């Protein structure tokens, strides 16, 4: 890691360090006695929805709301750890009349953040920082940060292709990986004999085909089958997925069964920790395909993980996506994600650029035999 350069990280407050939407939902449930109680999943997007979820908005004009906002469990420890790794700043949007309350709360709850590192305002696209961490999709899309990172919440589940995490631990691991990407030593953190190998790449990059061909000649590896809410008849390479309903998928995420989970083009994808453990217990090594967010989750929970980016010419990617038997919306989402996903190559341990699948498998074997 380059010790001469200390990354700057800018954090949001609402729905990232302090409860906002979830707190307003609890207050609304208490006041209106909703039956069944309103849940955070009803807040599918930001803005008024013409549903009972609109009952939360009056709380955002109440000074008592800002005085009593709970701090998320683990948020204080998270900021402490992050402050040891990086220069931490805050940029938070709050009505002008409540800026004093917000500043005082930040200083009391997070004393590691210097007072002159606290900024008030909604124009986060003006912030120059290495990493922006926010739950608002428009802030991530418009950010000038080198690495905008989204905190997954129900209102940003349609986000596709960008860096996103589900919790603080995943974010901290991602910060470590980003810092190491600035290192002058390539592959400095890549394990020699990884227990888990994850192929990362855009839609239609060929990662599933490469993994399948590799597995046919390498019996010491076993495929990790993931879970998706997408209709299995519409999923290419569907032998890599088990179909579950969106309700079951959310239950698995909420119960902690999922090692990692993400949304892509409106569909949930995830892998169970228990499935990884079973493969390792059989004395096998794990081979899987994921987006960059899933790869970073694996690196959070396991030490011996190698992430390999599958790079394919952009025109070939676009042509393959356009040939897919899927909706126009799905194709647009996948096409628009290409540029975001190509930036993630720098966060992987290795990159494979290939002319044909035999060549790609040969490169993969060469990497894993080092």
């Amino acid at each position: 890691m380059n010790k001469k350069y200390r990354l700057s990280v800018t954090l949001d407050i609402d729905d990232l360090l302090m409860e906002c939407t979830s707190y307003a939902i609890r207050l609304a449930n208490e006041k209106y006695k909703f039956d069944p109680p309103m849940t955070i999943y009803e807040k599918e997007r930001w803005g008024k929805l013409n549903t009972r979820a609109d009952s939360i908005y009056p709380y955002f004009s109440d000074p008592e709301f800002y005085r009593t906002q709970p701090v998320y469990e683990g948020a204080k420890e998270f900021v402490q750890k992050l402050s040891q790794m990086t220069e931490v700043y805050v940029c938070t949007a709050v009505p002008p009349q409540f800026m004093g309350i917000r500043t005082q709360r930040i200083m009391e709850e997070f004393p590691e953040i210097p007072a002159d590192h606290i900024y008030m305002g909604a124009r986060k696209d003006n912030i120059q920082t290495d990493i922006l961490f926010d739950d608002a999709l428009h802030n991530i899309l418009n950010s000038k940060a080198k690495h905008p990172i989204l905190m997954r919440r129900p209102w940003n589940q349609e986000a596709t292709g960008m860096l996103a995490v589900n919790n603080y631990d995943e974010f901290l691991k991602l910060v470590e990986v980003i810092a190491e990407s600035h290192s002058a030593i390539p592959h400095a953190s890549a394990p020699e004999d990884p227990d888990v190998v994850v192929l990362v790449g855009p839609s239609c990059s060929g990662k599933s085909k490469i993994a399948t061909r590799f597995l046919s000649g390498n019996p010491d590896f076993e495929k990790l089958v993931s879970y998706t809410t997408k209709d299995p008849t519409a999923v290419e390479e569907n032998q890599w997925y088990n179909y579950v309903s969106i309700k079951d998928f959310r239950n698995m995420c909420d119960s902690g069964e999922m090692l990692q989970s993400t949304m892509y083009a409106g569909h949930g994808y995830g892998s169970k920790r228990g499935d990884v453990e079973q493969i390792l217990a059989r004395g096998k090594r794990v081979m899987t395909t994921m987006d960059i967010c899933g790869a970073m989750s694996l690196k959070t929970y396991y030490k011996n993980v190698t992430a390999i980016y599958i790079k394919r010419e952009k025109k070939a990617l676009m042509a393959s996506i356009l040939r897919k038997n899927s909706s126009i919306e799905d194709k647009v989402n996948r096409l628009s994600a290409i540029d975001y996903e190509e930036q993630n190559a720098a966060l992987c341990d290795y990159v494979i650029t290939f002319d044909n699948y035999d060549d790609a498998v040969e490169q993969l074997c060469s990497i894993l035999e080092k």
Side-chain angles (χ1 to χ4, degrees), residues 87-88 107 110-118:
E87 294 290 336
V88 180
M107 294 174 65
F110 307 103
E112 297 82 10
I113 302 175
D116 59 357
H117 284 201
I118 300 173

Side-chain angles (χ1 to χ4, degrees), residues 97-113:
Q97 64 269 33
F98 306 134
M99 287 181 176
I101 299 173
R102 171 58 54 83
T103 301
Q104 188 63 36
R105 288 294 312 280
I106 294 172
M107 294 174 65
E108 290 173 355
E109 304 290 355
F110 307 103
E112 297 82 10
I113 302 175

